[in-house]
Amino acid sequence: MKLYELVGKDKSQGFSPYVWRARMALAHKGLEAEMVPLTFTEIPEIRGVSAKTVPVLEHDGGFITDSWDIACYLEDNYPDRPSLFGGDVGKAYAGFFNSVTFYTLIIPLFQTLAYDIFTGLDEADQAYFRASREPRLGKSLEEAHEHQPENLARFQKQLWPYNATLKTQDFMGGASATYVDYILYGLFQWAKGVSPVRLLDEDDPLYRWRAEMDSLFDGLGKIIRQR
Ligand SMILES: N[C@@H](CCC(=O)N[C@@H](CS)C(=O)NCC(=O)O)C(=O)O
């Protein structure tokens, strides 16, 4: 099994939030995958598949090219290992969460981090990132960076449902972590690896939750150093 991931200048610091979902899902199932670090401009060169994004999971001669599809693939193919979703109802909840977090969390966090991501990329990727991301931002990376405090505040404002939930339960999945926790955790891994911004206050229930997530699977998530 191989998991293709996204890196910048430091090849040890895979920073894609979506790859982190897959990485945690593999660990949850007790599966080991060889990590293959790629820069943005290397992704289309993965041999044997036409992929535009990572994660890509290569297994048994086939490729799965989307984080949600990877989670479903692992759940379907390893039913005897710990469940990622906790059954059909949990899968439906995770699927909803997969979509809703894109608009409420990924977009404001991307606007917050865009310039910091850029500064961690090699030269070829910097040119690609500027050309592809500035139209999405509707402004230059530097202008986006000037608005970092407002974008961070917008992101933080969206965290209240998670803080409220984690006041009364240990994980988003209840008593233990499920794929919903991995969706959320990927965002924090992303920010940690690419940016010096601090997303949480020590009093936030999410702060306690993130520390517990960091310690899962022998501290897998601690591979990422705070930039
Ligand atoms: N829907 C995809 C999205 C994955 C995605 O957007 N990955 C980003 C990295 S965070 C990527 O590979 N981007 C490549 C590019 O923009 O060229 C999934 O969930 O797997």
Side-chain angles (χ1 to χ4, degrees):
M1 230 179 230
K2 282 187 186 172
L3 184 65
Y4 295 85
E5 65 166 338
L6 179 64
V7 295
K9 280 181 268 195
D10 184 340
K11 309 278 180 238
S12 74
Q13 298 290 289
F15 63 80
S16 159
Y18 299 103
V19 173
W20 270 101
R21 296 174 185 189
R23 209 164 172 180
M24 297 297 282
L26 283 162
H28 184 103
K29 288 282 182 192
L31 297 167
E32 296 239 344
E34 178 195 338
M35 299 302 296
V36 184
L38 299 173
T39 60
F40 275 109
T41 44
E42 287 169 343
I43 294 172
E45 293 165 18
I46 301 176
R47 285 173 63 176
V49 68
S50 150
K52 292 193 176 67
T53 59
V54 287
V56 171
L57 183 72
E58 184 176 350
H59 185 225
D60 269 348
F63 295 88
I64 302 113
T65 58
D66 177 83
S67 60
W68 176 255
D69 293 344
I70 291 171
C72 295
Y73 175 85
L74 296 177
E75 191 74 340
D76 292 345
N77 285 279
Y78 298 91
D80 300 335
R81 309 275 182 115
S83 173
L84 282 168
F85 301 127
D88 287 347
V89 174
K91 184 174 175 183
Y93 162 56
F96 168 73
F97 197 73
N98 197 51
S99 305
V100 92
T101 49
F102 181 77
Y103 293 102
T104 57
L105 299 177
I106 294 240
I107 289 179
L109 192 53
F110 169 67
Q111 289 165 340
T112 307
L113 302 176
Y115 180 79
D116 293 334
I117 296 171
F118 172 79
T119 61
L121 302 177
D122 68 19
E123 242 175 72
D125 265 21
Q126 280 195 337
Y128 165 76
F129 191 80
R130 185 182 287 286
S132 57
R133 271 35 180 199
E134 287 188 342
R136 277 188 213 173
L137 289 164
K139 49 174 77 74
S140 72
L141 291 163
E142 288 74 11
E143 277 171 286
H145 193 55
E146 283 166 27
H147 294 284
Q148 191 177 52
E150 297 99 280
N151 287 323
L152 175 60
R154 223 154 48 81
F155 169 77
Q156 287 169 325
K157 215 171 152 194
Q158 303 286 354
L159 293 177
W160 71 264
Y162 311 100
N163 277 317
T165 303
L166 293 168
K167 249 186 216 165
T168 56
Q169 61 192 57
D170 288 344
F171 295 95
M172 294 304 296
S176 59
T178 64
Y179 192 68
V180 171
D181 291 276
Y182 306 143
I183 292 175
L184 193 58
Y185 184 61
L187 299 173
F188 292 97
Q189 289 294 85
W190 182 28
K192 186 179 170 193
V194 301
S195 171
V197 292
R198 296 293 190 269
L199 303 183
L200 299 172
D201 284 336
E202 284 183 28
D203 300 339
D204 293 337
L206 273 164
Y207 191 92
R208 180 269 311 152
W209 165 87
R210 187 179 55 184
E212 285 178 42
M213 294 298 294
D214 281 341
S215 69
L216 293 180
F217 316 124
D218 296 327
L220 174 62
K222 290 183 195 160
I223 291 169
I224 298 301
R225 295 183 301 275
Q226 177 73 58
R227 182 150 170 217

